[in-house]
Amino acid sequence: MNLTILGCYAATPRTFTNPTSQVLEIRNRHFLIDCGEGTQVQLRKNKIKFSKINHIFISHLHGDHFFGLIGLVSTFMLLNRTTPLYIYGPKGLQEIIKLQLKLSNSWPNYELIFNELDSSESQVIFEDDKVIVKTIPLKHRIYTNGFLFQEKIGDRKLNLDAVQNFEIETCYFQKIKNGKDITLEDGRIIANSLLTFDPISPKSYAFCSDTIATDQFLPIIENVDVLYHEATFLDSEETLAHKTMHSTARQAARIALKANAKKLLLGHFSTRYNTISLFKEEAESIFKEVYLCDDGSFFEL
């Protein structure tokens, strides 16, 4: 599971910082999470192939989280995309994008599939044989979701020494990895536990976009491996954080601690600060495994 930060600053883009967007690579799937202005350029800078992105998740309809979407949709068309593009986001997103496409007479030549969200409860919005994605209802000035990405438990791992010792043919390997016992030609039944090791523990990643620090979504992210939580302000601006319904670095760290997260990533920094190192210092007073996002950061989770 790898994470590339395309942008992680609040409000407007600058020449050297970009608003929120990131790509999560999990089980050979590439999920684009939020799509602020400049996302296309950042994808190119980070050498991420546009063709690998089939699913886009938009947390809410503030511009610094989705103003890059219409450009990306249009560019896919110019690149002669043919595969469907799935977009998950708040109700109203489809209307915005389709109106822009209509008025510019720029309808894509590929299928554009919207999954609009309006539930205040967590729900599964994507699932296949490898990955499941759930919403994390957040508390912001407008309807907002975070997203929980979870690997499913994979195949068991072959114990090659044991398999060779019992002279089991390769045609049975997948059956063994699926957890089945094997019956030998002499009638002996070999328990799967003797032929395999436990699969690698599945990983999870929680993206908590703009929100006040609230305990209401803690049950959803409990024991998450990596938590990304917005930290727009430092504690010195806690009053402003409350007023604008954002979080401070210290508040985000408390959420990570309560959720029993293994690692905390901080982002969505206000551009009022000259350095983001202070965010790490504040958060580490509460939670030890703290990492700062920055444009172009790459995390091997």
Side-chain angles (χ1 to χ4, degrees):
M1 186 162 63
N2 299 317
L3 182 70
T4 302
I5 304 299
L6 305 178
C8 64
Y9 288 81
T12 58
R14 298 181 292 178
T15 57
F16 54 96
T17 63
N18 293 273
T20 302
S21 186
Q22 50 187 250
V23 174
L24 178 68
E25 181 186 351
I26 176 171
R27 294 287 180 91
N28 295 319
R29 288 116 176 96
H30 289 71
F31 296 131
L32 179 64
I33 310 171
D34 276 348
C35 190
E37 292 175 80
T39 293
Q40 292 186 73
V41 175
Q42 289 299 96
L43 285 169
R44 294 187 186 280
K45 279 186 177 180
N46 289 277
K47 299 181 180 179
I48 297 172
K49 292 183 178 179
F50 285 23
S51 59
K52 289 188 175 182
I53 296 173
N54 296 313
H55 300 269
I56 300 176
F57 299 84
I58 302 296
S59 62
H60 64 297
L61 297 183
H62 280 160
D64 56 332
H65 294 261
F66 88 102
F67 276 176
L69 181 58
I70 183 61
L72 187 58
V73 167
S74 297
T75 295
F76 280 145
M77 179 185 66
L78 296 173
L79 295 175
N80 297 314
R81 182 189 182 99
T82 57
T83 55
L85 179 65
Y86 297 84
I87 301 175
Y88 310 79
K91 186 175 182 179
L93 180 59
Q94 179 175 209
E95 180 182 359
I96 293 170
I97 298 301
K98 287 193 171 181
L99 179 61
Q100 291 175 302
L101 294 172
K102 174 185 176 182
L103 295 179
S104 64
N105 193 24
S106 301
W107 293 106
N109 50 2
Y110 59 89
E111 192 174 6
L112 201 55
I113 302 170
F114 287 89
N115 182 349
E116 291 199 307
L117 310 172
D118 59 8
S119 176
S120 59
E121 303 293 328
S122 178
Q123 58 184 144
V124 174
I125 57 174
F126 172 85
E127 183 174 9
D128 64 11
D129 60 330
K130 302 286 187 181
V131 180
I132 184 169
V133 184
K134 302 174 183 177
T135 58
I136 306 171
L138 301 176
K139 192 172 182 181
H140 192 41
R141 301 194 302 277
I142 60 174
Y143 178 75
T144 306
N145 282 301
F147 303 102
L148 176 64
F149 300 83
Q150 296 172 297
E151 293 179 333
K152 290 186 175 181
I153 296 177
D155 291 340
R156 298 186 64 80
K157 302 300 179 183
L158 282 177
N159 182 337
L160 291 177
D161 290 337
V163 169
Q164 292 171 0
N165 183 53
F166 287 108
E167 298 181 346
I168 297 173
E169 296 181 14
T170 57
C171 61
Y172 295 106
F173 283 6
Q174 188 57 53
K175 182 179 179 180
I176 295 171
K177 290 195 289 183
N178 289 341
K180 305 296 184 181
D181 298 337
I182 294 295
T183 302
L184 302 181
E185 290 183 1
D186 61 9
R188 285 181 297 159
I189 298 176
I190 309 301
N192 186 268
S193 59
L194 298 177
L195 303 173
T196 61
F197 302 109
D198 289 338
I200 297 172
S201 297
K203 302 300 182 185
S204 56
Y205 174 69
F207 171 84
C208 290
S209 177
D210 298 17
T211 183
I212 62 171
T214 172
D215 292 354
Q216 70 181 24
F217 58 80
L218 284 176
I220 304 171
I221 65 170
E222 187 176 12
N223 298 319
V224 70
D225 288 288
V226 182
L227 169 63
Y228 170 94
H229 196 290
E230 75 120 288
T232 308
F233 299 106
L234 297 173
D235 258 13
S236 54
E237 282 72 48
E238 184 176 0
T239 300
L240 183 57
H242 180 76
K243 180 181 178 181
T244 58
M245 301 189 77
H246 283 292
S247 299
T248 68
R250 200 182 305 273
Q251 290 170 342
R254 291 194 186 101
I255 293 297
L257 186 66
K258 291 179 181 179
N260 194 35
K262 294 182 177 64
K263 291 180 174 61
L264 172 63
L265 306 184
L266 297 180
H268 200 263
F269 309 115
S270 169
T271 55
R272 70 183 60 227
Y273 303 106
N274 293 325
T275 175
I276 61 174
S277 61
L278 296 176
F279 288 86
K280 182 177 174 68
E281 293 176 17
E282 281 200 354
E284 284 183 334
S285 68
I286 304 292
F287 187 85
K288 296 306 178 188
E289 287 288 324
V290 178
Y291 301 86
L292 297 180
C293 294
D294 208 346
D295 295 4
S297 296
F298 178 82
F299 298 94
E300 197 169 329
L301 308 179

